[in-house]
Amino acid sequence: MEGRGPNRELHAIHPYPSLAGAEQVLDGVCVGADLRQASVFAGKKMVNPRAFKFFYSASCWGAGQLEQELEEGQWVAAACSKELILKESSYWEKPLWQVPDLPLALSL
């Protein structure tokens, strides 16, 4: 997600570093993945589909830009545990994605 400005793509946070395209950002927390592969793995019960959190769009910063904005007081940093980041939400009756016959179907 490196770069500047808004990134209008689907992003995922999950605990599976072995997925293609996953970048481990801290121990046990990954960003990104090949979602087609994740869909296949979920169908084979190799990953839990409820362990994925999806986000559309993201803010991206250039090198040093976020640090500068933090110093200027534009953002407030907060610590939280990986358990909180990866906590399964009970907001939805079922996961926002399912594993049908076709790879990666988002059920909205």
Side-chain angles (χ1 to χ4, degrees):
M1 289 197 294
E2 205 172 300
R4 292 184 184 268
N7 177 322
R8 305 212 187 285
E9 297 177 357
L10 183 65
H11 302 278
I13 294 176
H14 57 86
Y16 302 109
S18 62
L19 287 173
E23 178 184 353
Q24 191 161 253
V25 292
L26 62 109
D27 185 37
V29 178
C30 300
V31 174
D34 177 332
L35 296 179
R36 294 190 194 288
Q37 180 193 45
S39 178
V40 170
F41 283 13
K44 295 179 179 180
K45 303 203 182 311
M46 296 168 62
V47 299
N48 176 1
R50 288 191 177 273
F52 289 79
K53 290 187 178 181
F54 294 100
F55 301 89
Y56 176 74
S57 196
S59 292
C60 302
W61 292 267
Q65 182 180 357
L66 179 58
E67 290 82 357
Q68 180 180 347
E69 291 179 10
L70 282 164
E71 288 175 13
E72 293 170 354
Q74 296 181 36
W75 299 96
V76 176
C80 70
S81 67
K82 74 177 177 184
E83 290 78 20
L84 180 60
I85 294 170
L86 296 173
K87 181 180 178 186
E88 290 183 20
S89 172
S90 60
Y91 182 79
W92 303 103
E93 271 184 42
K94 60 183 180 179
L96 286 178
W97 71 318
Q98 297 180 28
V99 185
D101 295 332
L102 299 174
L104 186 64
L106 296 176
S107 59
L108 301 174

